[in-house]
Amino acid sequence: MRSLLTAIREHDDAAGFLAWPGDFDLDRGDHVEDVHLASGAVLEGFAGDGAGGTYFFCGDGGEERPVLYADSEGGAALIAIGLPELLRLLLVAPWWRGCQAFTADESRELATEYLTDIPDLAVRRDHAATALGLDLPTEGDVLARLHQVATEMSKDFTLIFTPEDKPYDPLIKD
């Protein structure tokens, strides 16, 4: 099976869309703080955003591993089970951090700002998805899945600020 990380690096359309509006950069995998998972499972930073947030693979394995996102303000959440699910989220709702209700209506409202600056957003998104070989779910489905993963599947993925042995705050609450 083809590596999605490699595919992103090989396809300018995909890398460009994920960089903006996705705010996902494979060259920013180092987190600003020393952290670990409370469970002791492996934690591997593999990408980041412009505000100092980091995407981590959790546990052993490849791109199918759960993905935890930690911001630079002490918040974290399990946001996807595997890289394909994360990329679908970033392609369909790159403004996911602004979602509080996790609905398609809320997502469309947030998209309005992006569409002002990027009128061809849907075309660019579709080109990126094609380059990565991903089918895209609806906004409602991708946001419902984000909420489900973050609230129902996250108990074993508590991120700890190592120097103080203090857990990060949940980014997404039930």
Side-chain angles (χ1 to χ4, degrees):
M1 185 171 169
R2 181 175 117 188
S3 163
L4 283 171
L5 293 175
T6 300
I8 293 167
R9 286 187 173 94
E10 291 175 350
H11 294 285
D12 291 341
D13 286 345
F17 187 92
L18 290 169
W20 190 254
D23 200 11
F24 175 87
D25 185 347
L26 292 177
D27 293 329
R28 295 181 185 228
D30 294 328
H31 195 57
V32 296
E33 300 178 323
D34 187 17
V35 294
H36 67 276
L37 287 173
S39 68
V42 173
L43 190 65
E44 177 189 344
F46 68 93
D49 64 26
T54 307
Y55 294 91
F56 295 95
F57 283 125
C58 302
D60 294 316
E63 294 177 354
E64 77 286 351
R65 292 178 285 172
V67 177
L68 183 132
Y69 172 79
D71 67 18
S72 61
E73 304 296 317
L78 186 69
I79 60 170
I81 305 301
L83 186 58
E85 188 170 279
L86 172 66
L87 295 177
R88 287 181 182 102
L89 171 65
L90 296 174
L91 290 166
V92 173
W95 40 81
W96 67 270
R97 289 176 207 84
C99 291
Q100 300 299 309
F102 303 96
T103 65
D105 288 340
E106 178 187 44
S107 182
R108 282 190 287 276
E109 287 178 30
L110 292 167
T112 303
E113 292 178 40
Y114 287 79
L115 290 169
T116 300
D117 295 333
I118 312 168
D120 64 340
L121 187 139
V123 171
R124 291 184 56 218
R125 175 203 62 215
D126 292 347
H127 284 284
T130 299
L132 298 174
L134 295 172
D135 294 327
L136 297 179
T138 66
E139 286 175 271
D141 288 346
V142 77
L143 292 171
R145 178 66 177 163
L146 168 63
H147 188 260
Q148 176 189 27
V149 168
T151 61
E152 297 176 16
M153 301 177 181
S154 62
K155 67 178 170 129
D156 295 328
F157 299 95
T158 301
L159 190 65
I160 304 294
F161 176 52
T162 302
E164 296 178 10
D165 200 33
K166 179 183 174 201
Y168 270 51
D169 294 325
L171 280 177
I172 299 171
K173 298 175 181 147
D174 202 10

